[in-house]
Every structure is written in structure tokens, then in C-alpha cells.
Amino acid sequence: MTLERPIAPDPYELLPTLPSFTLTSDDVQNGEPMDARHAHGSTGGDNVSPQLTWSDFPAETKSFAVTCYDPDAPTGSGFWHWVLVNVPASVTQLPSGAGGAAGTDLGGAFSVRNDYGDQGYGGAAPPPGDRPHRYVFAVHALDVDSLDLTPGSSPAYVGFNLTFHTLARAVIRPTYQIKE
């Protein structure tokens, strides 16, 4: 088996252009390798979502969604690692581990199932020996108090809804690789 394939486009380069705002993290940095604690347990990682903080979003923001997507997964459709929706506008940071199955008290926010089939954050797990994968963490500032979704909604369906309600988006893109 070979993993040779073209580099997938950044998913947000394929959508309408939106304003940005500030997204930072104490745990991950743009373009830099993530620590193994943010990798999936199947790879020996701790499956801990990174700390995220955001600011300077539009004043009319009514809620947020937080997503993590790997466009480099050898699937033809990428891989959704985390989709957290209905985060109140008063929440502007998530501590490390906020994406756990139990999550933290975020005023009605919830995670839909990721591509592992679980609710919550599912850490990085690229195939051993593959090139570094990009993990696109995005915070979407929304124009509605909540999206009409359920925990059983698919990530693609959430993405469809985000397209019509996102005022601005902030992104950070750390990487992860498992060397053979």
C-alpha cells in the first residue's frame, strides 16, 4: 500500500472568504507539531483537546462553534476530529481537555459525533510513516444563539449550517506525524 497522494486543499480556502479574528493556544502553535498528549489513545496519545482562546470577533456574535479537521487523512473526505456547537458568546476560551466526552460546563454547548464515531475530541492519528498532517482548529463566530442540531448530527451537516451562519472564522493549524 502506498500513501502517495496530492496535498489536499485547506478546507476554508474552498468556502466564501470571511473576516478573521484572533485565535491562540497555550498548547498548539500554527504550523508546529502537536505534543503527543493531543494524539488519539490508539497511537499512545492522551486524547486531550488543546487549550484555545479567542478574541476580537465581531460585536454581533451570538455564539461560537469549534471544529478540528484533518484535510490530509487518506480518505478522500478528510477526517473530523472535533465539532463543538452552541458555545455561548460569553465563552472565549476552552481549557485543555474541554473536548472530553463529559466535556465541561459550557452553557448548553455539545459535541456532535466525530469521525471516530464518538462525541467529543478525538486526537490525531495519522497513518504511521505518512507525511505530517494538518489539524485545522477553527472557531466560528455565529449570527445565531444556537444551531438547530442534535448530538447525532453529522459533521458535514454542521458544516453546512456553519456556512450560512458564520460571521468570521479564526484558525490555527498545528501538525502531527507518526514516524515509522
Side-chain angles (χ1 to χ4, degrees):
M1 179 182 92
T2 180
L3 292 171
E4 292 298 318
R5 62 200 184 280
I7 294 176
D10 183 295
Y12 299 116
E13 291 176 0
L14 303 175
L15 295 174
T17 303
L18 291 172
S20 185
F21 53 98
T22 304
L23 174 60
T24 61
S25 175
D26 295 337
D27 295 333
V28 297
Q29 305 305 317
N30 201 44
E32 297 295 321
M34 289 192 289
D35 187 82
R37 69 190 199 108
H38 306 297
H40 195 264
S42 65
T43 69
D46 296 329
N47 210 45
V48 174
S49 61
Q51 182 276 341
L52 300 170
T53 300
W54 53 94
S55 60
D56 304 320
F57 45 86
E60 60 271 24
T61 300
K62 294 184 178 180
S63 68
F64 297 101
V66 178
T67 60
C68 177
Y69 176 75
D70 173 4
D72 300 312
T75 64
S77 61
F79 197 94
W80 287 100
H81 287 266
W82 191 20
V83 182
L84 177 67
V85 298
N86 297 346
V87 178
S90 60
V91 175
T92 58
Q93 67 177 332
L94 297 175
S96 294
T104 56
D105 182 18
L106 295 174
F110 61 89
S111 291
V112 304
R113 66 176 172 77
N114 57 36
D115 281 343
Y116 290 113
D118 302 323
Q119 289 177 298
Y121 175 79
D130 201 10
R131 64 178 173 246
H133 284 213
R134 296 164 291 165
Y135 292 85
V136 183
F137 287 88
V139 177
H140 311 260
L142 306 179
D143 65 359
V144 292
D145 292 323
S146 64
L147 295 170
D148 188 19
L149 302 167
T150 68
S153 297
S154 72
Y157 186 62
V158 173
F160 179 81
N161 281 272
L162 290 176
T163 296
F164 295 98
H165 292 288
T166 301
L167 299 167
R169 180 183 305 114
V171 180
I172 190 167
R173 298 170 181 87
T175 64
Y176 196 76
Q177 180 180 33
I178 299 173
K179 297 186 180 188
E180 280 190 288

